[in-house]
Amino acid sequence: PLTTQVHITPKMIEATDNHRLFRFTGPTGFPKEILIPASGIESVCRIPLTKVAVGEGWVHLRSGKTVISIRSSHEKYLEGMDNLLKVSGESETVNLPRNLGEIIERAEVMREQSFDGRIGLRLGEDVLTITSRKDNGWYREKKRIAYKGRPFEFEINPEFLIEIFKQTHEVTLDCERMKLKIEVGEVQFLTALTVKMPTEAEKEKRVSYLRQNSK
């Protein structure tokens, strides 16, 4: 159940679904620690909020003359989040295309409209593929990029990625621990990677490329 909750303290906001991890570090305005359902956060995230009060099993949010109350929890949150945010010394920085935000906006047309809606990104040799899917169809677009590293793929909330890409196009790839990290100011985001195992033809192509470029 904790993977459906957003953990908020006076100095931090974090959440994870066992595949992705988000953390913001800084003043939140909340007087004490609480867990709020992610679906409840989605309902109020676009409303201008001015005050917050935390009660026993409830959080109360004020917007103008309106008070929105959400059933919440005071359970202990998941441990070990600090260790998960660390990357290995073998990690590398990858620059994704600067127009990726435009591609993502096109892909959003064919993705489920929910707080957990996702699109897929697959990075292979010289090609980035963006995919999204709904019950009645799917979308796929490929983008040529300069990349010769290990192929991998992951899923991410497109709205979050668009906001992040307004500030950075750099991502940290940690193939040893199978994760990708984006860090901008007070925000850290981590997602688990799924590595696509190369075929024999792809392996031979890779070996040929390395031989030619090592001369």
Side-chain angles (χ1 to χ4, degrees):
L2 293 176
T3 60
T4 67
Q5 306 287 318
V6 177
H7 178 220
I8 303 179
T9 75
K11 297 182 180 180
M12 182 177 65
I13 301 173
E14 62 183 357
T16 182
D17 62 357
N18 273 343
H19 299 282
R20 299 168 293 170
L21 189 161
F22 169 89
R23 175 181 284 179
F24 163 81
T25 305
T28 65
F30 278 66
K32 59 182 179 179
E33 185 175 6
I34 195 167
L35 297 177
I36 304 177
S39 55
I41 294 289
E42 170 70 7
S43 302
V44 301
C45 66
R46 292 179 177 83
I47 299 173
L49 303 173
T50 56
K51 291 185 179 181
V52 58
V54 176
E56 189 62 37
W58 290 89
V59 61
H60 309 284
L61 305 163
R62 179 179 291 278
S63 177
K65 296 182 179 179
T66 302
V67 174
I68 303 167
S69 298
I70 302 174
R71 202 77 167 107
S72 302
S73 169
H74 302 284
E75 289 183 67
K76 186 176 179 60
Y77 197 56
L78 300 165
E79 298 180 353
M81 301 283 270
D82 292 340
N83 289 331
L84 288 174
L85 286 167
K86 296 176 182 177
V87 294
S88 72
E90 301 299 319
S91 59
E92 61 176 305
T93 299
V94 178
N95 280 286
L96 297 179
R98 293 202 167 271
N99 69 335
L100 184 55
E102 299 172 13
I103 300 173
I104 291 170
E105 287 178 344
R106 292 195 289 271
E108 276 199 280
V109 175
M110 293 303 296
R111 65 108 176 175
E112 295 298 336
Q113 299 298 316
S114 70
F115 76 92
D116 196 35
R118 312 176 188 184
I119 61 169
L121 281 81
R122 175 181 294 173
L123 189 59
E125 187 173 324
D126 294 329
V127 178
L128 175 67
T129 306
I130 297 93
T131 59
S132 58
R133 184 179 297 275
K134 294 176 71 172
D135 290 340
N136 60 349
W138 54 272
Y139 176 91
R140 180 172 64 191
E141 183 170 342
K142 293 186 176 182
K143 173 74 176 179
R144 298 289 296 179
I145 62 171
Y147 179 74
K148 299 296 182 183
R150 190 175 182 180
F152 68 90
E153 57 187 297
F154 64 96
E155 293 183 328
I156 194 169
N157 180 285
E159 295 174 359
F160 170 77
L161 193 58
I162 289 171
E163 289 300 316
I164 283 289
F165 276 3
K166 290 178 181 177
Q167 303 178 62
T168 183
H169 287 77
E170 287 189 356
V171 299
T172 300
L173 177 62
D174 185 348
C175 285
E176 179 183 335
R177 297 178 180 173
M178 298 298 293
K179 55 192 177 185
L180 177 144
K181 184 177 182 181
I182 303 173
E183 189 167 3
V184 179
E186 299 84 4
V187 172
Q188 296 180 77
F189 175 80
L190 197 79
T191 182
L193 297 176
T194 302
V195 173
K196 176 180 176 291
M197 298 306 294
T199 63
E200 291 302 318
E202 290 172 332
K203 289 179 182 178
E204 183 59 35
K205 182 180 178 182
R206 176 66 173 163
V207 170
S208 177
Y209 171 84
L210 291 173
R211 285 172 178 167
Q212 291 174 10
N213 287 272
S214 62
K215 296 178 181 179

